């Protein structure tokens, strides 16, 4: 199931939720400047409404710790999406699309390593590179960049096969998605799954065939969310397989954080490759 969302629709909803406050601040701004308030006020109003929306959407979750983790994840994802010059759909948008937040809450309560990860598909390789360049400017202690470039470094095979890595995995089945229009004729599709967020993959020592695997957008969002929350990146000494094979199915991509260079590397290996430091982060939804 898909649900469409846009920035203008979200803003109209926010102003509907806060009509008196919006009117008072609009009037005050107009009296002071003779003009209508600009994007700064609208952004603030959107943030305030987002906090209320999140609380309402998570209200059906019975476990307090699971609610807290969902709330913290969406707050971190909001910062991460800011680096990508976009916005994360509200939790109730995912619920309206068919995501069972109560089920996610129950799964979170049973596994402390699972992390709710909203992930966008269809941004494209240059958009992701620019996203990590902006994140590096905000967090130079964690993200650097080779020769002043983006700290997201992709091997040649990963660049060639990026289209396969930037789509919702076929192994995920029919996932609920929230569709976001980001330009004329261009849309991004968001999913919400729980991804094992431990320092190392949840399952180590197996080849690509032993999935399912988290997607490239999910791993990139997980890293950005951790960095935004002041936490250390994952995969500092391990590799995580990524969903979607490349090179006509001969190769698969893997993710690692290079602490020495402060970059995230996406490299490719034959799908039969395996080792003690290579594994999977099977997502659940």
């Amino acid at each position: 199931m898909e649900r469409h969302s846009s920035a203008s629709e979200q803003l109209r909803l926010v102003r509907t939720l806060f009509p008196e406050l919006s009117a008072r601040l609009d009037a005050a701004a107009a009296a002071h400047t003779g003009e209508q308030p600009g994007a700064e006020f609208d952004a603030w109003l959107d943030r305030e409404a987002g906090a209320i929306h999140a609380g309402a959407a998570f209200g059906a979750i019975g476990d307090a710790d699971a609610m807290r983790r969902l709330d913290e994840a969406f707050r971190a994802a909001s910062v991460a999406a800011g680096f990508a010059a976009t916005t994360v759909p509200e939790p109730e948008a995912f619920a309206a699309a068919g995501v069972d937040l109560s089920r996610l809450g129950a799964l979170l309560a049973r596994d402390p390593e699972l992390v709710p990860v909203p992930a966008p598909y269809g941004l494209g390789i240059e958009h992701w590179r620019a996203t990590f360049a902006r994140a590096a400017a905000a967090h130079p202690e964690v993200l650097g960049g080779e020769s002043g470039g983006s700290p997201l470094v992709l091997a040649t095979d990963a660049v060639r096969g990026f289209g396969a890595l930037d789509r919702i995995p076929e192994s995920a089945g029919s996932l609920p998605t929230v569709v976001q229009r980001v330009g004329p004729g261009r849309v991004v599709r968001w999913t919400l799954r729980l991804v094992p967020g431990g320092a190392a993959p949840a399952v180590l020592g197996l080849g690509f065939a032993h999935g399912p695997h988290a997607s490239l957008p999910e791993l990139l969002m997980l890293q950005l969310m951790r960095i935004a929350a002041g936490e250390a990146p994952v995969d500092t000494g391990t590799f995580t397989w990524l969903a979607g094979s490349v090179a006509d199915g001969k190769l698969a991509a893997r993710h690692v954080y290079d602490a020495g260079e402060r970059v995230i590397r996406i490299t490719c290996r034959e799908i039969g490759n395996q080792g003690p430091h290579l594994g999977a982060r099977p997502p659940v939804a």
Side-chain angles (χ1 to χ4, degrees), residues 157-241:
D157 287 316
V159 172
R160 290 173 179 164
F162 193 83
L165 303 176
D166 193 26
R167 67 170 65 112
I168 297 173
E170 293 181 2
S171 60
S174 181
L175 276 181
T177 60
V178 177
V179 179
Q180 198 176 61
R181 300 191 183 281
V182 295
R186 186 179 173 213
V187 299
V188 170
R189 287 177 167 79
W190 288 81
T191 65
L192 175 61
R193 296 199 291 180
L194 306 181
V195 178
V203 182
L204 281 168
L206 299 177
F208 180 74
H210 298 274
H213 301 291
S215 67
L216 174 62
E218 285 173 328
L219 258 293
L220 296 182
M221 280 295 291
L222 175 63
Q223 291 288 43
L224 288 173
M225 289 165 61
R226 290 182 64 87
I227 291 169
E231 300 174 353
V234 301
D235 282 338
T236 58
T238 54
F239 297 86
T240 294
W241 286 116

Side-chain angles (χ1 to χ4, degrees), residues 22-75:
S22 298
R24 288 202 306 271
L25 291 177
D26 281 349
H32 180 68
T33 65
E35 300 177 355
Q36 289 297 310
E40 184 176 352
F41 164 65
D42 284 339
W44 173 85
L45 197 59
D46 196 19
R47 289 194 299 271
E48 293 301 305
I52 294 175
H53 284 183
F58 299 153
I61 298 173
D63 187 90
D65 184 65
M67 286 181 61
R68 176 189 59 79
R69 287 161 62 192
L70 272 163
D71 181 62
E72 289 178 352
F74 268 85
R75 289 178 184 274

